[in-house]
Amino acid sequence: MYNPQLKTFLQVADAGSFNKAAEQLYITSSAVIKQINLLEDSLGLKLFERTHRGLILTEAGKSFYRDAKYIIGYCDGAVKRAKNAMQKQDAIIRIGTSLMTHRSFLLRYGLKYMSTVRK
C-alpha cells in the first residue's frame, strides 16, 4: 500500500535516534540507517540533522512527517473500510423441515420477512 520506509521514518522521528527506533522495530540499527538513507536519497531530501545528541527533523522532515502520518493513517483506514465492506454481504439462512413438520408457518413467515427486507 505504501513504502514501508515511511513507518521506519516515523519511528525514527518519534524515537529521536536510530538505536531506539531499531529496538522498537525489532531490527538492527544499521538496517534502520540504511532505510532512512535510501528514503532520503529517493526523495532527494535531507530529513534529519544528525548531531552527537541525536536526530532532529529538518524543516523538510517536519513537513514530510505530517504527510507520512496522514498517508499511513489513510491507507490503514482504507484497508479497514474494505474489510468492513466485505463483511456486510448478504447472509443466506437455510431452514430445513421434515415431512412430519408442517412448514406452512415457515413459508408465511419467510414471505412476510422477504417483503419487509425488499422495501
Side-chain angles (χ1 to χ4, degrees), residues 69-85:
K69 274 233 188 254
Y70 173 78
I71 289 167
I72 289 174
Y74 191 79
C75 288
D76 290 345
V79 171
K80 188 181 288 185
R81 288 187 296 276
K83 286 181 179 179
N84 288 341

Side-chain angles (χ1 to χ4, degrees), residues 20-73:
K20 288 178 186 174
E23 287 175 15
Q24 294 165 355
L25 293 168
Y26 301 107
I27 58 177
T28 65
S29 57
S30 60
V32 171
I33 293 168
K34 186 173 184 175
Q35 285 187 41
I36 296 302
N37 288 340
L38 288 171
L39 181 63
E40 287 180 326
D41 290 344
S42 69
L43 296 174
L45 297 170
K46 186 175 180 183
L47 301 173
F48 292 102
E49 284 292 331
R50 290 142 171 94
T51 68
H52 63 282
R53 291 185 177 174
L55 300 170
I56 301 169
L57 284 170
T58 63
E59 288 304 313
K62 290 175 185 176
S63 175
F64 191 71
Y65 179 87
R66 288 187 297 270
D67 292 336
K69 274 233 188 254
Y70 173 78
I71 289 167
I72 289 174

